[in-house]
DNA sequence: AAGAACCTCAACCGCTGCTCT
DNA sequence: GAGAGCAGCGGTTGAGGTTCT
């Protein structure tokens, strides 16, 4: 986290993954490190004391703009942080990128994070040339780069190492290899990568992860809602997904494991593996066969076929599916191999504004701010604490009394309309 | 044109195991 | 043998790009 101050506008940029813009007039009394909400910054390694001191010195008030994931509001003594996962528009993304490119920011002695610059790569390459790919931490101790040894090593291994197939998609052969080896070794990406020249463990991991997500989505999407590829996904399937020929792959031998929910069962650690015939992935795209295949593979068809609403149990979850889709002839069990590693369906959107307010209703939520306790709730304008307090004043609208009733956009409406007009790309440093 | 959904990939984090003192 | 430091690994996150609505 880095703090950037614009000398003219006195805007503060708290540089994390995304900037938070702070500007405006100072309230009476200046800032004090008082509110538990400062923890928000402390957790991000912001030098809070310095920040407060500087803010008081410059007489700037703090208002948090929505320029990324963090959204909040500030009052003279405290800051209210909310988090809102909002996808940036293209315009916002461009602005952000422009800001990042044009901003030179004070390192304040902190470790640099984020994307690598060409100059940094060059420094790293020079170091490796001279000393070999080792002593990563010495790069920082020698003052060559403000990066951790870990970060340097990662950069070298994943991007700078010679003979890497950067930007080259996995061939069908490579995909086959990964699938096969994953079945053999489990998620030992580094080990798998040793069989793939020019590929890193990160490459393999990313490939596998993408593939799993894709498969999971295909499996979880209701068959009846799959018109002749309304889902644009399979139109964009990578070639290998469509062309991977059948191949031999190990199979879990334990019949009891096939429907077990333990994640341990996901990897083929069993010593007894027998080769099975794999079904080409395009089969998975067929909604009429997929669910039946799952049922067949998990051995649940028999259990459920008498029920009115057929259920396809898949690993951890139970998925109601369309009646007719389970009446299709099942595929042979080998298809199971491909489903073993699919994670349970993701939870609902993790951290949107509604979640925030749900959490605000939970007394334990504020424990994360360190000073815990419901007594602190009064500091938060969106939480009804029973008493009147000053909290109500900061809200100014009756609907705010019920956090659960407050919509995300209503929260945004709390900001002055012109506040967001303030967000403009920083001028280039030369103009400062 | 704008937004949503999805994909890819770079980079970070936490943990583990190894090596050295 | 204990502890510190480091390298490596696997999981996760988030930015940016692409495609579709």
């Amino acid at each position: 986290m880095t703090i950037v101050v614009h000398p003219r506008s006195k805007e503060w940029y708290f540089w994390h993954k995304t900037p938070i813009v702070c500007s405006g007039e100072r309230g009476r009394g200046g800032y004090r490190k008082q509110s538990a909400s400062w923890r928000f910054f402390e957790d991000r390694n912001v030098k809070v004391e310095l920040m407060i001191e500087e803010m008081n010195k410059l007489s700037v008030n703090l208002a948090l703009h929505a320029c990324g994931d963090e959204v909040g509001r500030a009052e003279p003594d405290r800051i209210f942080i909310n988090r809102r996962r909002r996808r940036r528009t293209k315009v916002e993304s461009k602005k952000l990128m422009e800001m990042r490119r044009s901003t030179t920011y004070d390192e304040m002695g902190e470790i640099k994070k984020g994307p690598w610059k060409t100059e940094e790569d060059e420094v790293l390459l020079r170091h490796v040339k001279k000393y070999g790919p080792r002593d990563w931490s010495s790069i920082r101790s020698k003052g060559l780069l403000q990066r951790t040894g870990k970060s340097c090593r990662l950069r070298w291994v994943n991007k700078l190492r010679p003979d890497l197939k950067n930007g080259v998609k996995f061939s069908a052969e490579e995909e086959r290899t990964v699938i096969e080896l994953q079945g053999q070794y489990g998620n030992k990406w580094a080990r798998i990568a040793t069989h793939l020249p020019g590929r890193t463990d990160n490459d393999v991991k990313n490939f596998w992860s993408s593939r799993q997500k894709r498969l999971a989505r295909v499996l979880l999407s209701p068959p009846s809602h799959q018109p002749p590829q309304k889902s644009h996904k399979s139109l964009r399937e990578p070639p290998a997904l469509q062309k991977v020929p059948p191949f031999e792959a190990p199979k879990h031998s334990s019949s009891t494991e096939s429907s077990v929910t333990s994640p341990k069962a996901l990897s083929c650690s069993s010593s007894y593996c027998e080769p099975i015939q794999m079904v080409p992935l395009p089969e998975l795209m067929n909604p009429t066969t997929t669910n039946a295949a799952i049922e067949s593979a998990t051995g649940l068809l028999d259990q459920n076929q008498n029920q009115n609403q057929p259920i396809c149990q898949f690993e951890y979850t139970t998925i109601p599916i369309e009646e007719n889709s389970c009446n299709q002839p099942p595929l042979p069990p080998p298809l199971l191999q491909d489903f073993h590693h699919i994670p349970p369906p993701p939870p609902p959107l993790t951290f949107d504004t509604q979640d925030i307010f749900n959490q605000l209703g939970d007394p334990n939520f504020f424990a994360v701010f360190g000073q815990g306790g419901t007594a602190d709730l009064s500091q938060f304008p969106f939480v009804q604490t029973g008493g009147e307090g000053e909290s109500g004043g900061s809200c100014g609208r009756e609907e705010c009394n019920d956090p659960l009733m407050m919509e995300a956009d209503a929260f945004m409406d709390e900001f002055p309309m012109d506040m967001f007009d303030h967000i403009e790309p920083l001028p280039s440093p030369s103009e400062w």
Side-chain angles (χ1 to χ4, degrees):
Chain A
M1 173 80 83
T2 312
I3 302 175
V4 185
V5 64
H6 191 298
R8 242 191 2 234
S9 69
K10 291 182 180 174
E11 283 179 336
W12 289 81
Y13 291 76
F14 296 107
W15 202 272
H16 185 45
K17 302 274 185 193
T18 55
I20 302 171
V21 183
C22 308
S23 65
E25 300 285 327
R26 184 181 69 150
R28 65 181 186 287
Y31 290 97
R32 287 168 285 152
K33 187 182 175 183
Q34 173 177 309
S35 166
S37 299
W38 285 110
R39 279 291 298 276
F40 173 83
F41 293 107
E42 289 177 319
D43 288 347
R44 288 155 179 76
N45 297 322
V46 172
K47 293 181 171 62
V48 175
E49 307 289 355
L50 176 66
M51 185 172 96
I52 295 169
E53 186 186 322
E54 289 300 312
M55 285 168 61
N56 283 327
K57 204 158 58 186
L58 286 168
S59 292
V60 294
N61 193 21
L62 185 64
L64 300 171
H65 288 208
C67 197
D69 291 339
E70 274 80 22
V71 174
R73 56 183 295 138
E75 291 181 358
D77 286 334
R78 48 184 180 268
I79 304 174
F80 299 102
I81 304 298
N82 212 329
R83 302 203 77 195
R84 164 187 242 222
R85 289 207 179 267
R86 179 172 67 85
R87 194 178 187 80
R88 279 187 207 96
T89 63
K90 279 186 180 174
V91 176
E92 284 174 328
S93 289
K94 273 188 181 173
K95 272 188 181 177
L96 187 59
M97 285 308 292
E98 202 162 327
M99 270 172 54
R100 285 181 175 179
R101 272 195 295 269
S102 65
T103 303
T104 58
Y105 49 89
D106 179 11
E107 294 296 335
M108 299 181 73
E110 289 190 4
I111 291 166
K112 178 117 185 283
K113 292 180 184 176
W116 281 67
K117 290 180 185 162
T118 320
E119 310 88 74
E120 292 177 302
D121 282 345
E122 285 166 3
V123 171
L124 184 55
L125 280 168
R126 271 201 300 272
H127 177 272
V128 172
K129 226 174 200 173
K130 204 167 173 183
Y131 303 101
R134 64 180 77 87
D135 293 336
W136 300 113
S137 51
S138 72
I139 295 174
R140 178 151 182 264
S141 59
K142 286 175 185 165
L144 298 175
L145 288 172
Q146 288 295 100
R147 302 270 185 176
T148 62
K150 234 174 156 178
S151 180
C152 293
R153 181 196 152 267
L154 206 66
R155 181 66 181 173
W156 165 259
V157 167
N158 288 337
K159 289 302 289 184
L160 301 180
R161 222 173 51 185
D163 306 325
L164 286 181
K165 292 183 184 172
N166 277 331
V168 180
K169 289 216 170 279
F170 272 64
S171 67
E173 180 59 34
E174 285 175 314
E175 293 201 16
R176 255 178 43 175
T177 306
V178 172
I179 294 165
E180 189 172 4
L181 294 177
Q182 204 280 341
Q184 198 174 330
Y185 300 140
N187 294 0
K188 301 292 176 190
W189 308 122
R191 191 168 179 186
I192 293 171
T194 61
H195 292 78
L196 298 162
R199 301 294 184 188
T200 67
D201 56 346
N202 217 26
D203 290 336
V204 176
K205 195 164 54 180
N206 284 335
F207 161 72
W208 187 259
S209 162
S210 294
R211 184 173 174 278
Q212 292 309 101
K213 279 184 197 162
R214 201 157 53 227
L215 284 174
R217 191 168 26 259
V218 167
L219 291 171
L220 293 175
S221 64
S224 60
H225 295 335
Q226 264 197 338
Q229 267 344 307
K230 167 198 170 254
S231 160
H232 43 275
K233 271 312 62 269
S234 36
L235 292 177
R236 298 196 263 150
E237 288 308 339
L241 192 57
Q242 296 164 2
K243 293 176 194 160
V244 173
F247 70 100
E248 300 286 312
K251 173 195 173 191
H252 294 289
S253 60
S254 165
S255 59
T256 55
E257 277 186 2
S258 60
S259 60
V260 164
T261 56
S262 163
K264 282 286 173 195
L266 297 183
S267 62
C268 184
S269 56
S270 163
S271 58
Y272 174 54
C273 292
E274 62 178 324
I276 58 167
Q277 181 75 12
M278 289 295 291
V279 175
L281 285 175
E283 296 268 1
L284 301 182
M285 304 303 172
N286 184 344
T288 62
T289 57
T290 301
N291 289 310
I294 299 168
E295 285 190 7
S296 171
T298 54
L300 289 172
L301 191 62
D302 289 341
Q303 297 172 20
N304 295 317
Q305 63 187 4
N306 294 331
Q307 297 175 13
N308 287 337
Q309 187 180 13
I311 298 293
C312 285
Q313 184 164 353
F314 180 62
E315 297 295 352
Y316 309 87
T317 190
T318 299
I319 312 159
I321 61 168
E322 298 288 328
E323 281 257 343
N324 55 4
S325 61
C326 279
N327 294 333
Q328 303 297 324
L331 277 183
L335 193 56
L336 176 61
Q337 162 67 25
D338 234 330
F339 302 149
H340 262 138
H341 312 281
I342 297 179
L349 189 56
T350 51
F351 216 159
D352 67 7
T353 310
Q354 189 60 54
D355 289 333
I356 287 292
F357 291 124
N358 287 338
Q359 289 186 65
L360 285 173
D362 175 4
N364 294 326
F365 171 68
F366 289 94
V368 304
F369 291 109
Q371 296 177 11
T374 50
D376 284 337
L377 296 186
S378 62
Q379 293 186 10
F380 292 82
F382 312 116
V383 180
Q384 211 169 10
T385 59
E388 289 187 1
E390 63 184 73
S391 59
S394 62
C395 180
R397 287 205 299 190
E398 287 180 11
E399 299 93 295
C400 297
N401 287 335
D402 185 351
L404 296 178
M405 293 294 290
M406 188 161 176
E407 295 291 331
D409 288 329
F411 174 76
M412 297 301 290
D413 291 342
E414 291 294 306
F415 293 105
M417 282 303 289
D418 59 351
M419 176 177 276
F420 297 97
D421 296 340
H422 221 60
I423 302 177
E424 286 176 2
L426 276 175
S428 71
S430 58
E431 295 176 64
W432 284 16

